[in-house]
Amino acid sequence: MEKKIYIETYGCQMNVNDTEVIFSILARKGYARTEEMSEADVILANTCSVRDNAEQRIHGRIDVFAQQKKARPGVIVGIVGCMAERLKDKLLESGKVDIVAGPDAYRSLPRLLDAVSPGNPQIDVLLSHEETYADIAPVRIDKGGVSAFISIMRGCNNVCSYCVVPYTRGAERSRDPHSIVREACDVFSRGYRESRSCLRGWPISTRNCGCGSRPRIPRIFPMPSWKQWPRGRTSAGISICLSSRAATGCWRRCAAATRGNGTWNGWRKSVN
């Protein structure tokens, strides 16, 4: 029988995108998404640690999840994301949580789910210097089918005294630009009108496209005209930070856009 997974998402747009990645990873292992907690075999909370209030809210939700475990023995409860990375095995002390997984451990969730058993919780909070989930096609959860989040980098190297991100999401690493544009092409082919890079409050100016250039300013790449849109939708733009002040050379090396003009057709041909 098909197992169902329920995920509550807290925090920034990056967590929204991570939830979509988790759904995709677990779908490959036969887990179906549900929006009803009472139907779920697996209950996850994708968490935030930016503010104490966010963590306190999760502690309250853990008690709610525990009621589901009591009513339906066999239900698995997991805490993933930034709070999982920060608190680690402290989350297991209450006995109410079965799985703890950090932001770079989502690929290990199928293994953790297979290994978990009563009295044998599982944890993976190892941070990575390479993980970007660039090869994972997220399962989009936007009900309106209008906006889609696309992650273009992960982590941070700034280590600001007031910020927990470098400690919960690890070192900064950027996605390959071709994978970003390929994902953008995919969401627009599905009818999404707007695509947003998941970097609100994060170091956009330090994104490394891998060709040696360091992007300094975001650039809006023009989308196809309305004639090229599915179901006749109007034109729109996608904001993905792939340009620099020396954009011509960067585009030529990264996407082979003709003469570095960065047109939509140039990008589309380079990634297909």
Side-chain angles (χ1 to χ4, degrees):
M1 185 175 65
E2 187 178 53
K3 293 184 177 181
K4 295 184 178 181
I5 179 170
Y6 169 86
I7 304 180
E8 290 188 359
T9 306
Y10 299 86
C12 65
Q13 292 96 327
M14 182 65 78
N15 274 8
V16 174
N17 183 250
D18 279 357
T19 292
E20 295 174 335
V21 167
I22 293 171
F23 277 129
S24 181
I25 291 172
L26 293 180
R28 299 177 181 181
K29 298 298 181 179
Y31 288 87
R33 176 192 172 200
T34 179
E35 296 184 4
E36 298 295 330
M37 187 191 305
S38 59
E39 299 177 352
D41 300 287
V42 178
I43 300 173
L44 300 181
N46 192 357
T47 59
C48 174
S49 281
V50 171
R51 296 179 178 86
D52 180 66
N53 182 60
E55 292 194 355
Q56 295 305 318
R57 186 177 181 185
I58 296 302
H59 283 297
R61 294 304 292 167
I62 290 175
D63 290 335
V64 175
F65 301 157
Q67 294 175 12
Q68 290 290 323
K69 285 174 62 70
K70 184 177 181 179
R72 297 184 294 127
V75 170
I76 297 173
V77 172
I79 302 299
V80 303
C82 293
M83 183 175 171
E85 188 66 43
R86 193 183 79 82
L87 296 180
K88 298 180 173 60
D89 52 3
K90 291 182 180 179
L91 287 167
L92 302 176
E93 294 176 356
S94 67
K96 300 176 182 178
V97 176
D98 302 301
I99 290 177
V100 174
D104 291 344
Y106 299 146
R107 291 183 194 270
S108 69
L109 281 172
R111 172 179 59 80
L112 299 178
L113 288 170
D114 289 341
V116 72
S117 61
N120 184 34
Q122 300 294 308
I123 183 170
D124 187 346
V125 289
L126 184 66
L127 290 174
S128 169
H129 287 280
E130 294 83 27
E131 184 62 84
T132 62
Y133 301 107
D135 61 317
I136 304 294
V139 174
R140 304 296 171 183
I141 59 177
D142 175 49
K143 295 180 180 179
V146 175
S147 296
F149 293 113
I150 298 178
S151 172
I152 68 174
M153 64 180 289
R154 300 180 72 86
C156 181
N157 289 342
N158 289 338
V159 196
C160 299
S161 60
Y162 54 83
C163 184
V164 74
V165 168
Y167 306 100
T168 58
R169 288 198 170 260
E172 178 185 303
R173 62 269 192 202
S174 302
R175 277 182 64 178
D176 171 69
H178 289 80
S179 70
I180 300 171
V181 178
R182 189 176 297 112
E183 187 173 335
C185 292
D186 178 66
V187 297
F188 276 94
S189 71
R190 298 186 188 187
Y192 285 86
R193 293 186 178 184
E194 180 181 49
S195 180
R196 303 178 183 179
S197 57
C198 296
L199 276 170
R200 183 178 181 180
W202 286 38
I204 298 176
S205 61
T206 63
R207 208 205 81 83
N208 190 333
C209 65
C211 72
S213 298
R214 298 292 288 186
R216 298 176 183 275
I217 54 175
R219 187 177 186 90
I220 302 298
F221 289 89
M223 287 290 100
S225 68
W226 66 271
K227 293 181 180 179
Q228 296 172 281
W229 271 79
R231 297 185 295 280
R233 287 186 172 180
T234 57
S235 61
I238 177 171
S239 175
I240 45 180
C241 303
L242 291 175
S243 63
S244 70
R245 297 188 187 277
T248 300
C250 179
W251 289 353
R252 186 177 293 120
R253 288 189 292 271
C254 290
T258 304
R259 302 183 66 84
N261 59 16
T263 62
W264 168 260
N265 287 332
W267 278 101
R268 183 169 58 181
K269 291 176 181 177
S270 72
V271 298
N272 288 339

